[in-house]
Amino acid sequence: MPVKLDQVPAAALRPMPLRLWRWLMALLPCVAVGLGLTLWKGDGALAQEPLKFWLFALGLPVLAWGLLLGLRLLVFLGAQSAADGWDRAREAELSRLMRRGRRSQQILAVSLRTALDVGDEGSGLLNGGSAIRVRSSWQGGSVRHSRLVVDEALLPEEQLGGQLAAVLGDLAVVLAKLPADKPLALLLETSSAIEEQRLVEAWTEAWRLSGIQQATTRLEGAGLAVIDHWLDRRIDDRALLLVVAYQFAPESVEGSAETVVGLLFGNRLTQSTITPMAYLHRPEAVDKGATESLGRSLQQALDWVPLAASQITAVWKAGSDAAGDPLITQAFDKAGLPVSASKELHDLDAALGHAGCATPWLAIAAATESVRAGGGPQFICSGEGSERVWAWCSVVMPPAV
């Protein structure tokens, strides 16, 4: 579940300190009242016994004043001790949440296929390449979108199988460095109008061709919520997280992007065989319908690293709807992210189109490729479009930082 620091109760209210000068001033009326009552109620015999007279006139008022002062002091010390205990518990909870919030995952391998088809996808995106244009779609007709390089002699599911096999083959090279009994958790996200059974067959054949030896366990969930959950529940797990996401032959072609993305994540506590390419820090959700949530989530994502906005070298934006796009740009500028130059802000929607369920993974893969090319810390804002979450903010860090 998301780490919400703003839900930690506030610090305890401190008790009002004792003002000694007020108590000293209160002593005078007490003495005056005691003296007056003694003179008024005392008989003649009392006047003949000075010690007894002054005991009633001064001693009893001072004793009562001292008892009240002592009682007030005990109440103050008790409230102070309770406040100290509350604040210690609060600090311990904040420290626990900060440690949990600042968890990250190793990015061990990346494979990316887009319509740029330049061999090095990351380089094409970094250089401002664009592949979205009016072209024929798999449904027929011409619409504005980006499409993977296709072989018209092959069926759509065969074309997809080839792309999946290429991505899995890249990941298999890294997985071959690990023992065959290394557990793998697999998240497969798909978006396609192709019949489900044909998609399953394409995936099964691509997996067979990849030669990956590790046994896999399928995960439920979607998007960066899976990463958030993994960091909470499985940070000390021996298993690696394998994410494969694609959008191919989508139902809605206008403005879409065909892409196949593969990512391999490892846990810092349990994986030391493979040198990480980069680190993905905890993603922060932007709640739907709360405009102030964007700036808050953006800053929290930076704080999880921790990192100043001025240290970010590139910003990746993907999956934002037309209405929300200005809000994202304003939030970037307000936070001080380096988006003044086009080379620092990479709009994947403008370069490729909307990649559907593959959007967040495409952004992470592109940012990781940028790190591999020598770039510094990368900031990502990727749309989700679920009922509760509008977007996710996260940071990809070079391994040496």
Side-chain angles (χ1 to χ4, degrees), residues 257-333:
E258 287 188 341
T259 184
V260 181
V261 186
L263 291 157
L264 182 64
F265 297 97
N267 290 330
R268 303 181 73 157
L269 299 177
T270 59
Q271 196 290 129
S272 58
T273 304
I274 302 172
T275 302
M277 299 170 59
Y279 291 96
L280 174 66
H281 286 259
R282 180 182 291 275
E284 191 68 21
V286 180
D287 295 333
K288 216 164 192 176
T291 55
E292 72 279 1
S293 176
L294 177 57
R296 185 171 61 248
S297 298
L298 188 154
Q299 189 58 55
Q300 186 61 77
L302 291 171
D303 289 343
W304 288 145
V305 180
L307 195 70
S310 59
Q311 294 175 271
I312 297 293
T313 60
V315 178
W316 298 85
K317 181 177 66 170
S320 59
D321 55 73
D325 193 75
L327 295 177
I328 294 175
T329 305
Q330 292 170 17
F332 287 166
D333 187 61

Side-chain angles (χ1 to χ4, degrees), residues 203-227:
W203 167 258
T204 303
E205 179 63 14
W207 185 269
R208 186 188 67 80
L209 292 174
S210 71
I212 295 174
Q213 299 297 312
Q214 288 80 9
T216 62
T217 302
R218 289 287 292 270
L219 287 181
E220 299 296 328
L224 293 183
V226 173
I227 297 291

